[in-house]
Amino acid sequence: MSRIFVAGAAGNIGTALLAALETKGADVVAGVHGNTSLPNGWDGEIRPFDFEDRASMVSAMAGCTKLFLALPLVEKMTRYGSQAMEAAKEAGIEYIVRSSRYGASSDAHWRLGREHGMVDQFVEDSDIPFSVLRPNTFMQLFSTIMADAIRSGTVALPEEEFPVSYLDIRDMADCAAALLVDNTGHVNRTYALTGPEGLTGPDLAARISAATGREISYTPIEERAFIEKLDGSGMSEWTRNMQVSLSRVVKLGMMGNVTKAVEFLTNAPARTFDAFAAEHATTWT
């Protein structure tokens, strides 16, 4: 059986992927960047590494033939991606599943899409067989970062009333797990992953209201107010600019499209926001 190295295993995607791979009985090494730790319950092998240090990545990948690559959203993300590809070649990795971003391209007109697209290009240029997954915004945004605002009765987004086809992070993990276990027919291909429908801010508020039994309203945020909020949170200027670029591309109507890639890769339909809201209703009450 091939051994799988999950780079970024302590992140939200990595954590979900470990759970998905465990159900498949896969042989997995959890790679953690820096001093981060894994959630309770993971009893498999853990290897620390540093995206800044190629030698540490080569050492962490030793004995593995498949790589799942998720990178932190930081200013050095493209550098980390380049280093990871060099390390993968040196370590003898034979197949890569890359976690990218919906709408990414090396020549994208929006900054976050371009940053992810550049890393995707590094993967393609590595000459290692690959599959690139480009997920849309995750539903879990509303059960984590936005949970406090929703508990106060408001869904507040800087996206006017344009739709986004939100994806459950577990569907992303299931797609990656399926590819890492059996990539037949999917090598050197790219898949755009979405949820089953495009939802606007008012749609989200209505569905969370139905799930919680509370009146939740939608409040669009002007871009200037959004920027001030991000700056006030202590977010770096680079990360803030990436988030603003994402909100702008939503307002171009580019993030509401729906694909069937989740069902194609996993043989199961993408999870609905209604099901997600019902599952997380107590988070917002």
Side-chain angles (χ1 to χ4, degrees):
M1 180 185 293
S2 299
R3 204 159 204 216
I4 301 164
F5 184 78
V6 177
N12 294 331
I13 298 173
T15 300
L17 177 57
L18 291 181
L21 287 170
E22 189 173 25
T23 65
K24 292 179 176 293
D27 186 6
V28 180
V29 173
V32 294
H33 174 57
N35 296 319
T36 52
S37 59
L38 289 172
N40 294 333
W42 172 256
D43 58 2
E45 184 174 0
I46 300 172
R47 296 181 186 173
F49 70 96
D50 188 340
F51 278 118
E52 293 269 17
D53 182 353
R54 188 173 75 184
S56 76
M57 284 190 281
V58 174
S59 178
M61 294 178 196
C64 299
T65 57
K66 296 180 179 180
L67 166 66
F68 176 79
L69 180 63
L71 297 169
L73 184 61
V74 294
E75 191 167 359
K76 293 182 179 180
M77 183 173 71
T78 55
R79 173 177 169 77
Y80 287 173
S82 176
Q83 286 271 81
M85 288 305 94
E86 292 301 317
K89 287 187 284 187
E90 190 172 341
I93 293 295
E94 299 172 1
Y95 175 64
I96 299 167
V97 174
R98 153 77 176 139
S99 173
S100 182
R101 189 71 172 77
Y102 188 78
S105 170
S106 58
D107 60 355
H109 69 279
W110 57 297
R111 291 191 60 183
L112 183 56
R114 190 164 59 251
E115 295 283 330
H116 274 290
M118 290 173 64
V119 177
D120 296 349
Q121 194 64 53
F122 295 148
V123 173
E124 293 186 34
D125 292 344
S126 72
D127 292 327
I128 300 173
F130 67 89
S131 300
V132 175
L133 298 178
R134 292 178 173 161
N136 211 336
T137 301
F138 294 124
M139 296 177 187
Q140 280 70 13
L141 168 70
F142 301 98
S143 61
T144 55
I145 295 172
M146 294 191 63
D148 284 344
I150 294 172
R151 280 192 289 269
S152 71
T154 302
V155 174
L157 294 169
E159 299 165 0
E160 298 178 3
E161 293 191 9
F162 287 89
V164 176
S165 49
Y166 295 98
L167 177 73
D168 193 305
I169 202 168
R170 292 168 295 186
D171 286 328
M172 167 66 182
D174 288 345
C175 288
L179 291 170
L180 289 163
V181 170
D182 182 4
N183 60 20
T184 304
H186 304 297
V187 174
N188 297 346
R189 294 188 178 180
T190 297
Y191 296 98
L193 306 182
T194 75
E197 58 185 333
L199 299 173
T200 64
D203 293 333
L204 294 167
R207 290 169 192 230
I208 294 173
S209 295
T212 61
R214 299 177 55 220
E215 185 61 36
I216 307 296
S217 63
Y218 171 63
T219 301
I221 306 172
E222 294 295 328
E223 183 173 289
R224 173 47 53 189
F226 180 53
I227 291 172
E228 291 175 355
K229 181 178 180 180
L230 295 179
D231 287 343
S233 71
M235 183 178 291
S236 73
E237 181 180 0
W238 183 90
T239 305
R240 177 253 277 168
N241 290 339
M242 296 303 107
Q243 297 297 337
V244 172
S245 76
L246 174 58
S247 70
R248 288 175 179 172
V249 81
V250 169
K251 289 184 285 189
L252 291 175
M254 295 176 58
M255 308 301 277
N257 294 334
V258 172
T259 73
K260 294 290 186 178
V262 170
E263 187 167 358
F264 179 66
L265 293 173
T266 67
N267 294 316
R271 293 170 171 87
T272 66
F273 192 85
D274 285 339
F276 172 81
E279 183 179 354
H280 292 85
T282 57
T283 302
W284 304 308
T285 56

